Amino acid sequence: MFESIGSFVTHQVLYLPVFLANVFLADIEPSEELPQLLTELTLQKVVRAIVIIIIAYACMSMIQAVTNWLSERVPRRFRLLIKQSLPFWKGLILIVTISYLLNLFLNLSETNLLALTGTMAVALGFAFKDYISSIIAGIVALFETPYQVGDRIQIDDHYGEVVGYGLRGIRLQTPDDNTVTIPHNKTWTNAISNANSGQLEAQVATDFYFDHHVDGDKVVQILYQAAYSSKYTQLKLPIVVVMKEHPWGTQFKLRSYPMDARDEFVYQTDLICRAKQAFKRQGFPYPKLWRAAFPD
């Protein structure tokens, strides 16, 4: 249903200017001359356009750098708030720059504006359908916030932290330190898993497996102790241990939260090391390999 709505919105936005332009121009008498669309092109205007583009690019780069620098130096609870303001400032600079350039080179009368909008809609609608769909999805995402800068999300097979929010897509920093660019229009058709949704903490689930004869109460007690003793654990949030039976053994899942979602894998490693030391002292039996491979 969401895909259908997204496609409908995209289609209407692309072709509404064409319809309005046709209706408006139909009322113009054939004898009427349309005002000249382009203004006089001078060297001064070209220089001004180049300067404003350079300034806009410099401002966007500076805002990106300042945001990254400032977010790493403020108290941790303000880090995501600062990063989440980045798309707004970049969008504002882009809108101001485009508006200035259009006003500089075009005679934006009412007639010309409708004619230009209709022409651009037809051209862009066919040539850049997916690109425009991504832009519209990005604008929708600003209000629905399925992801923000600083969130840890998964789209398809890609999981990581949102480190950039652009006009066309987002950039994910994966645990392997790869940067993946994903277009916004994935929100029309793909499920998005968000681990922290703008919060600093994200739940970490750590699995442990034992033979059916293991003492479940002792395992649960050790897992709680491992979580409470870790320096990464956010003690204000709940710590839960759940069990699940399989034909080949018993699964224990420790659910807890690190103080910073960035420490997800370091925190999980710390929990495993602490728990395994205690399990070794207790001599708990692990599942037999043949049972795991051939559960029946």
Side-chain angles (χ1 to χ4, degrees):
M1 178 179 180
F2 189 59
E3 177 184 1
S4 301
I5 296 175
S7 301
F8 174 78
V9 172
T10 303
H11 181 274
Q12 297 303 318
V13 170
L14 290 177
Y15 295 105
L16 180 59
V18 181
F19 172 76
L20 294 176
N22 290 335
V23 172
F24 183 82
L25 295 176
D27 295 334
I28 300 177
E29 296 295 333
S31 59
E32 295 184 26
E33 294 185 0
L34 293 177
Q36 185 178 359
L37 179 61
L38 295 176
T39 61
E40 183 181 357
L41 186 62
T42 62
L43 179 61
Q44 182 182 8
K45 288 184 178 181
V46 174
V47 173
R48 288 167 62 185
I50 294 174
V51 170
I52 196 65
I53 292 174
I54 294 174
I55 292 175
Y57 180 80
C59 288
M60 294 177 72
S61 300
M62 183 180 65
I63 289 176
Q64 177 81 54
V66 170
T67 301
N68 292 336
W69 179 85
L70 187 61
S71 65
E72 300 299 330
R73 285 162 177 79
V74 298
R76 186 160 43 195
R77 62 182 180 275
F78 297 124
R79 188 185 75 220
L80 296 184
L81 184 62
I82 292 176
K83 284 192 171 185
Q84 289 162 5
S85 66
L86 181 61
F88 169 77
W89 296 114
K90 292 178 103 175
L92 181 63
I93 293 173
L94 192 63
I95 291 173
V96 172
T97 303
I98 293 176
S99 300
Y100 180 83
L101 293 176
L102 289 177
N103 187 60
L104 186 64
F105 291 106
L106 300 179
N107 179 21
L108 297 179
S109 64
E110 183 179 0
T111 303
N112 281 342
L113 185 60
L114 284 176
L116 178 65
T117 304
T119 303
M120 290 179 60
V122 172
L124 295 177
F126 288 103
F128 300 101
K129 179 178 180 296
D130 292 335
Y131 190 88
I132 296 177
S133 176
S134 294
I135 294 176
I136 296 174
I139 296 173
V140 173
L142 284 175
F143 295 95
E144 293 190 350
T145 61
Y147 44 70
Q148 305 173 73
V149 177
D151 285 356
R152 303 185 71 84
I153 67 172
Q154 178 163 351
I155 301 178
D156 291 337
D157 297 329
H158 304 294
Y159 173 78
E161 179 182 353
V162 180
V163 294
Y165 194 112
L167 186 65
R168 186 186 69 88
I170 58 174
R171 290 186 292 114
L172 286 186
Q173 192 78 28
T174 69
D176 297 327
D177 202 28
N178 296 325
T179 301
V180 181
T181 301
I182 302 176
H184 290 301
N185 62 0
K186 287 287 186 180
T187 58
W188 299 142
T189 57
N190 294 72
I192 301 173
S193 175
N194 195 323
N196 55 327
S197 298
Q199 302 300 315
L200 195 60
E201 305 88 0
Q203 186 185 91
V204 173
T206 310
D207 293 312
F208 300 88
Y209 304 95
F210 295 97
D211 189 81
H212 286 299
H213 300 93
V214 75
D215 188 334
D217 291 336
K218 286 187 177 181
V219 173
V220 171
Q221 184 180 4
I222 290 173
L223 292 180
Y224 274 116
Q225 290 176 351
Y228 279 112
S229 61
S230 175
K231 65 179 181 180
Y232 299 101
T233 303
Q234 174 56 271
L235 299 176
K236 296 180 180 180
L237 295 175
I239 299 173
V240 179
V241 178
V242 294
M243 298 172 57
K244 184 177 181 180
E245 284 294 308
H246 297 280
W248 43 264
T250 303
Q251 175 187 3
F252 294 82
K253 187 182 293 288
L254 172 60
R255 301 181 183 274
S256 54
Y257 295 81
M259 289 184 288
D260 192 330
R262 284 182 173 180
D263 298 327
E264 174 185 358
F265 297 102
V266 176
Y267 177 52
Q268 194 172 55
T269 301
D270 183 61
L271 292 177
I272 293 175
C273 289
R274 290 173 180 274
K276 284 181 71 70
Q277 290 176 2
F279 296 151
K280 184 177 179 180
R281 290 193 297 266
Q282 296 291 333
F284 289 155
Y286 290 97
K288 299 297 188 294
L289 292 179
W290 68 269
R291 290 184 181 176
F294 305 101
D296 295 335

